[in-house]
Amino acid sequence: MRKAIFPGTFDPFTVGHFSIVERGLTLFDEIIIAIGHNQSKKTLFPIAARMDMIRQAFEGYGRVAVRQYDSLTIDFAQSVGAGFILRGLRTVGDFEYEKTIADTHRAIGGVETVILFTESRYAHISSTVARDLIRFGKDISDFLPPDVKMIPPK
Ligand code: ADP
């Protein structure tokens, strides 16, 4: 069985992330969306809200699970028996970072990273921009996956 984790901060999980998971399901039997939860890293959305919004997005998807982790990504992948790490790429700016961590995960854990290019229509979608819009009171429903209602962060 081909199992992958899709690790990220997902603050919040966007329609761009959703598209990567949906397309990943054509490659993997099971995908675990793995929310990196670092107590010292400040996020806008609490971990419980991030999990709930992702659960809403994938309600009825039997092959997608959501977990949080506070260890190294490679240790989490191995602890759940995942042979692959799924990531998404928007720009050349993403490339250097993704390559470095993919090389590291292969070197220290023998786990391959599979990277999908974003669909062009989602290339501008980012959690950072979504957070900025929220801070200025703008609606971000276009940034969220279908069927997801934002859980207000405060
Ligand atoms: P991290 O903090 O690990 O970068 P993110 O939550 O920002 O986590 O992103 C998780 C993954 O999703 C990363 O591989 C990122 O490049 C990818 N990603 C983010 N937004 C998009 C998008 N609009 N289209 C495709 N991939 C995306």
Side-chain angles (χ1 to χ4, degrees):
M1 188 175 91
R2 285 184 179 262
K3 190 193 274 194
I5 63 163
F6 179 44
T9 310
F10 307 128
D11 185 35
F13 194 89
T14 68
V15 68
H17 297 130
F18 183 77
S19 159
I20 296 295
V21 175
E22 280 221 300
R23 291 162 59 212
L25 286 171
T26 65
L27 303 171
F28 301 109
D29 301 303
E30 183 182 348
I31 296 176
I32 299 175
I33 300 170
I35 312 177
H37 181 41
N38 180 340
Q39 301 280 5
S40 64
K41 189 171 169 186
K42 212 172 149 13
T43 57
L44 181 65
F45 288 89
I47 184 74
R50 282 181 277 157
M51 287 200 95
D52 280 358
M53 288 165 68
I54 297 172
R55 286 207 187 97
Q56 280 178 40
F58 292 100
E59 205 177 329
Y61 283 63
R63 296 191 288 129
V64 178
V66 190
R67 298 269 303 270
Q68 56 172 289
Y69 70 103
D70 58 9
S71 56
L72 278 177
T73 300
I74 189 68
D75 289 341
F76 180 74
Q78 289 173 337
S79 74
V80 296
F84 302 91
I85 295 173
L86 176 64
R87 296 281 288 180
L89 198 76
R90 282 162 297 187
T91 61
V92 285
D94 288 342
F95 176 85
E96 289 290 345
Y97 176 68
E98 294 295 342
K99 180 173 177 345
T100 305
I101 50 173
D103 287 346
T104 305
H105 288 150
R106 190 184 322 99
I108 66 176
V111 171
E112 288 292 353
T113 299
V114 173
I115 296 190
L116 296 179
F117 290 105
T118 188
E119 291 183 71
S120 326
R121 61 185 165 147
Y122 299 139
H124 66 292
I125 301 279
S126 83
S127 300
T128 307
V129 174
R131 289 195 302 275
D132 286 344
L133 292 172
I134 291 166
R135 286 193 187 100
F136 289 96
K138 300 287 184 205
D139 175 59
I140 60 150
S141 19
D142 286 352
F143 278 59
L144 299 179
D147 303 324
V148 171
K149 284 200 202 66
M150 187 176 84
I151 299 171
K154 296 236 166 60

